[in-house]
Amino acid sequence: MSTRHFDIVVIGSGPGGEGAAMKAAKEGKRVCMVDNRVLVGGACTHTATIPSKALRHAIQRLVDVQNDHPELRVELAKVSKFKDMMRKASSVVARQVQLRTTFYERNRVELSIGHGRFLDANTLEVTDPRGASELLSAKSFVIATGSRPYRPPELDFTHPRIFDSDTILTMNETPMTMLIYGAGVIGCEYASMFRMLGVKVDLVNTRDRLLSFLDDEISDALSYHLREQGVLIRHQEQMERVEPTDDGVVLHLKSGKRLKTEIFLWANGRTGNTHDMGLDKLGIQTDSRGNVQVNDAYQTVVPHIYAVGDVVGIPSLASASYDQGRFAATHIVEGRLEHKLVKDIPSGIYTSPEISSLGRTEQELTHQNVPYEVGHAFFKSLARAQITGRTVGMLKLLFHRDTREILGIHCLGDNASEIIHIGQAIMSQEGPGNTIDYFVNTTFNYPTMAEAYRVAALNGLNRLF
C-alpha cells in the first residue's frame, strides 16, 4: 500500500481542525484533512451547534409572529411542527458545508474521507466507509475529532422514544410532553426551545442549581424565566432506571419519584471521539470520558501529536476550538505560544433568554477577596429594547473599586452573545486601557442595545464613595 506524505495531518474537520488546517496551509505547509464524514464541518455543523441554533432561531421567529399576530395563531400552529422547523436548520447546514468546502479548495488542503487510526507515531491509516484504506504520513498531527453525547450502557437508544442531543434533531413530530435528563447547557437550551413550541417540559437537574458556573444572579434569572415559561425544574435528582413503554417512557429517580413522558431526552455529558484511534499504543491515554490530556501548547505526551477542541474537554465551545486549532498550528509552524488566542473566551448559551459571560463572577471575586463593585442595566429601561419588545434581560458589569478595571461581564437577554463583545474589546486591553470609565466617556448610538454599557457603568460608578 502506497503512503502519501504531508507536513501536517489534521483529524476532524470541525472548528478545531479547520482552524489548525487553515493556519498551517496559509503558512505554506502541505496539509491533509481526515474526516469520517463525506461533508466537512464536523459535529458542530452537522449535529450540534449550527443545526440546534438554526432550529432555535426558527422557533423564536414563529413565537414572535404568534405574539405579534394572535389572530393567526391557529393557522401558524399548522406549520409549527418540529420537522418544519428543522427544514430551516437543514438549509443553513447545507450553506455552511458549501462555504467550508471552498476554504479547503482555496487553500489546497487535501481531504481524506474515513476513520483515522495510528499505526505508529508518524503513520495514520484511513479506512473509508466501503472498507478501502490508505496510509498518510506526517511530521505533525492534530487530533480534532470532537465529541458525541455520552450514552450510558443501561439506556436503550434504539427505542423510538429515547433520544440524545444528536438524534433529537431527527425527530419528525412535535411531542406533547418531554423529559430532559441533564440540565447543563444543552439540556437548558433544548428545554427552552421545546417549551417555546408548546411542549410540556420536565427538566431534571442532577445538581442544586442551573449552570452553576455562571454568576449566581444570571443563573437565578435563567431559572426564573424557564419556570415562568412553564418548564418544571427538578433539582438534585439522580436517575435510577428508565422504563420504556408502548406509549411513553417512565423515569424512576433515586428519590422515589416516577415521571412519565412521551419523549425522553438524555443530555447528561459528552464523550471525546477517541475510540479505536490507536492512541493507547502510542502512550496517549484518555480519561473515562474519552478526553485527551494536553499541555499548554496542546501537545499530547507525544510532542508532535497535538489535540484541540472538545476532545480535550472544557471549555468545549466551537469558538474556543477554532482558536485552539490556530494556536496548535502556530506552535507547530513557528514554535511559539500565542496565549491570547485561548484566554478569556466568552461563553454563549442559547436559551430563551440568551446568556453570555466573560471573566469572573461575583462569587469568585468574593472568594478571592477582590474589592469589586456592580453596575446593572436592565433591558426594560432601554429605549431600543422597548421598541423591539425584547425587554427581558440585563447587562451586569463587575469592576475593581480602586483601579476601575473590568473584571467580569454577564449578560442575559436577546442577543446577549453579540452584546458581550463590546465589553470584551475593552476588557482585553492591557493596563489602564481596561477601565469602566470608557463607557461613560464614549458616545453610543441612540437608541441601541450597546447603550446598556453606559447605563451599567454609570449605575456602578454611582455606588462608589
Side-chain angles (χ1 to χ4, degrees):
M1 187 184 301
S2 62
T3 302
R4 291 200 288 159
H5 302 277
F6 297 89
D7 295 313
I8 300 172
V9 169
V10 181
I11 312 168
S13 67
E18 181 182 304
M22 294 304 117
K23 171 63 177 177
K26 290 180 186 300
E27 295 295 331
K29 299 300 180 182
R30 189 181 180 205
V31 182
C32 182
M33 170 60 72
V34 177
D35 200 287
N36 56 13
R37 286 185 174 90
V38 175
L39 302 176
V40 299
C44 172
T45 297
H46 295 279
T47 61
T49 303
I50 296 302
S52 66
K53 276 49 178 182
L55 171 64
R56 175 189 181 271
H57 180 71
I59 294 172
Q60 185 66 65
R61 289 191 66 183
L62 175 70
V63 171
D64 290 343
V65 174
Q66 287 178 331
N67 291 337
D68 292 341
H69 302 280
E71 72 278 6
L72 300 178
R73 184 172 293 271
V74 174
E75 291 301 314
L76 288 169
K78 297 177 183 178
V79 295
S80 64
K81 293 182 180 179
F82 187 77
K83 62 181 178 182
D84 297 322
M85 301 295 102
M86 278 305 302
R87 193 173 296 117
K88 168 65 174 176
S90 298
S91 68
V92 175
V93 169
R95 291 199 297 274
Q96 281 286 305
V97 168
Q98 183 179 26
L99 174 70
R100 315 210 96 75
T101 300
T102 63
F103 295 163
Y104 292 97
E105 294 171 348
R106 187 186 312 143
N107 290 281
R108 296 187 174 91
V109 175
E110 297 189 40
L111 297 176
S112 179
I113 307 303
H115 175 76
R117 188 174 191 278
F118 284 95
L119 298 184
D120 58 50
N122 291 95
T123 308
L124 189 77
E125 180 183 36
V126 180
T127 305
D128 70 20
R130 298 169 299 176
S133 297
E134 70 168 336
L135 299 181
L136 308 175
S137 72
K139 300 173 185 176
S140 300
F141 294 85
V142 179
I143 300 170
T145 47
S147 65
R148 64 186 184 278
Y150 168 68
R151 287 187 165 190
E154 63 270 25
L155 279 185
D156 178 14
F157 286 93
T158 65
H159 192 278
R161 295 184 181 275
I162 298 178
F163 296 87
D164 61 26
S165 57
D166 282 357
T167 58
I168 194 67
L169 298 172
T170 65
M171 189 171 59
N172 288 322
E173 299 299 327
T174 308
M176 296 293 292
T177 62
M178 171 178 282
L179 191 152
I180 301 174
Y181 186 84
V185 171
I186 293 173
C188 287
E189 287 182 345
Y190 275 110
S192 183
M193 278 190 271
F194 279 99
R195 186 59 203 140
M196 284 194 288
L197 272 178
V199 179
K200 183 179 178 182
V201 177
D202 276 35
L203 180 61
V204 178
N205 185 17
T206 59
R207 302 185 179 184
D208 61 352
R209 62 185 300 116
L210 293 183
L211 307 183
S212 56
F213 60 88
L214 292 175
D215 186 89
D216 283 351
E217 190 172 10
I218 301 297
S219 173
D220 290 343
L222 174 64
S223 296
Y224 169 80
H225 287 292
L226 285 179
R227 287 192 172 104
E228 186 181 46
Q229 292 163 13
V231 176
L232 179 57
I233 305 172
R234 301 175 186 270
H235 291 300
Q236 291 187 299
E237 297 283 4
Q238 296 288 333
M239 179 181 75
E240 184 175 83
R241 64 187 177 93
V242 171
E243 177 190 355
T245 65
D246 292 338
D247 61 343
V249 178
V250 177
L251 172 64
H252 296 258
L253 297 169
K254 291 183 178 180
S255 63
K257 298 183 184 71
R258 290 183 300 166
L259 311 175
K260 188 172 183 180
T261 181
E262 187 178 337
I263 294 297
F264 179 86
L265 172 58
W266 172 267
N268 199 31
R270 295 183 69 83
T271 298
N273 292 321
T274 52
H275 177 68
D276 193 31
M277 287 188 64
L279 299 180
D280 50 346
K281 66 182 179 183
L282 300 181
I284 300 174
Q285 301 298 317
T286 58
D287 62 20
S288 59
R289 286 294 177 93
N291 294 328
V292 178
Q293 187 174 359
V294 293
N295 64 14
D296 289 343
Y298 289 86
Q299 292 170 294
T300 66
V301 293
V302 181
H304 69 278
I305 299 179
Y306 294 68
V308 299
D310 283 13
V311 79
V312 302
I314 58 174
S316 297
L317 297 169
S319 55
S321 297
Y322 192 88
D323 285 343
Q324 289 169 5
R326 290 173 56 209
F327 182 99
T330 298
H331 191 261
I332 293 171
V333 175
E334 303 177 26
R336 65 184 178 89
L337 302 179
E338 278 195 7
H339 285 293
K340 277 192 172 183
L341 279 179
V342 291
K343 188 177 118 177
D344 292 332
I345 295 172
S347 64
I349 302 169
Y350 296 86
T351 48
S352 183
E354 198 170 297
I355 297 170
S356 192
S357 64
L358 176 65
R360 286 175 281 181
T361 65
E362 278 205 70
Q363 51 268 36
E364 288 172 335
L365 292 172
T366 299
H367 180 72
Q368 296 165 8
N369 297 320
V370 176
Y372 72 92
E373 197 47 86
V374 184
H376 285 104
F378 293 98
F379 288 2
K380 64 183 179 181
S381 302
L382 301 178
R384 183 61 178 269
Q386 293 169 357
I387 291 168
T388 62
R390 304 299 182 95
T391 56
V392 171
M394 65 174 171
L395 174 67
K396 178 177 182 178
L397 302 180
L398 305 178
F399 63 99
H400 198 287
R401 286 186 60 93
D402 302 324
T403 67
R404 302 194 181 192
E405 173 190 2
I406 301 170
L407 304 170
I409 307 170
H410 307 279
C411 190
L412 172 98
D414 187 47
N415 280 321
S417 59
E418 302 281 358
I419 294 169
I420 196 81
H421 294 302
I422 300 169
Q424 180 189 30
I426 303 305
M427 188 173 165
S428 65
Q429 301 302 306
E430 300 289 343
N434 175 9
T435 172
I436 196 170
D437 291 308
Y438 171 85
F439 298 116
V440 295
N441 295 330
T442 299
T443 301
F444 290 89
N445 280 332
Y446 179 84
T448 60
M449 294 305 295
E451 184 200 6
Y453 279 95
R454 179 180 61 82
V455 174
L458 288 169
N459 178 264
L461 292 173
N462 286 339
R463 300 178 192 277
L464 299 181
F465 56 89

